[in-house]
Amino acid sequence: MQKERVLSGMQSSGKVHIGNLVGAIQNWVRLQDIYECYYFVADWHALTSGYANPSAVRESVNDLLINFLAAGLDPEKCTIFIQSRILEHAELHLLLSMITPLGWLERVPTYKEKQQELKERDLSTYGFLGYPLLQTADIIIYRAKHVPVGVDQVPHLEISREIARRFNNLYEEVFPEPEALLTEFPKVPGVDGRKMSKSYGNAIYLSDSPEEVERKIKTMATDPARVRRTDRGTPELSPVFQLHKIFSTKEEQDEVAEGCRTAGIGCLDCKKVLIKNVFRVLEPIWARRAELIGDPGLLREITQRGNEKARKAARETMGLVREAMGFY
Ligand code: SF4
């Protein structure tokens, strides 16, 4: 039986961190056994806010690909490709821009939020406003049935559904309306306690050396009320404990929480347990990263294969689109 198709992508706007790993890539690895998955490096998306520095966007493409594979994406089970290598995305984006009312784009909640967040960049561009449209093209060009999203991203998918519906109503039924594959994304704090983000400079990267990871965790923010070793702490207020919830076993979580509340352990003891568990996850990734970095031909071959497969699927859809619109 034909598996249902899933599509998801990640912007090449910097290095991959453990928030990306546990929030997206590990979920992709699970999905590749259940669905027909298409995963891509969204380099054009990264340009919508990073257009002033295209070389940085370009440079992080390989880092993403290496980390996708190192974290367990299997090119025999899923299709891994680079967005800008499939020119059909741009054609569909253009055609969709003809039929999408401006108001739909302006009302996307993150449009103004992100402009605020990245105040130092000039984001009053068409490309930035049209971001959801490019995202829609990415999804519907593969006629994907599902897109893994968190609850807060459902409105983003709604616009893609509306645009697909509008195309189908105006011309012919070409696109299935993509559905949300609701996914719980764990909240991953950065080393300063804020959300882990490249732009905050608080991330632990998959490309960090073991020494760097250890140093970052050892200097990580804790419950601010626990100043001295004898102070009792509240684990729920400590970003270190939030990472324990992701990386440590239930027994270990209970032990460190108890030790924190009673001042039975120091923060360094607590962090050592976390370091051990983060290493357990990262060590196989580091080993696989080293293999891939040492064999650029393999990475190229895997990506070319993925690009070709994606291009074939995108071309099939564009054939239907041109036919529906009467543009041969
Ligand atoms: S003992 Fe652990 S959980 Fe408690 S404040 Fe220190 S680092 Fe955070």
Side-chain angles (χ1 to χ4, degrees), residues 221-223 226 233-235 238-241 244 256 259-261 265-268 270-271:
T222 59
D223 171 6
R226 210 174 170 207
T234 309
S238 170
V240 174
F241 190 63
H244 271 299
V256 294
C260 179
R261 284 194 197 98
I265 57 166
C267 288
L268 198 56
C270 176
K271 287 174 172 179

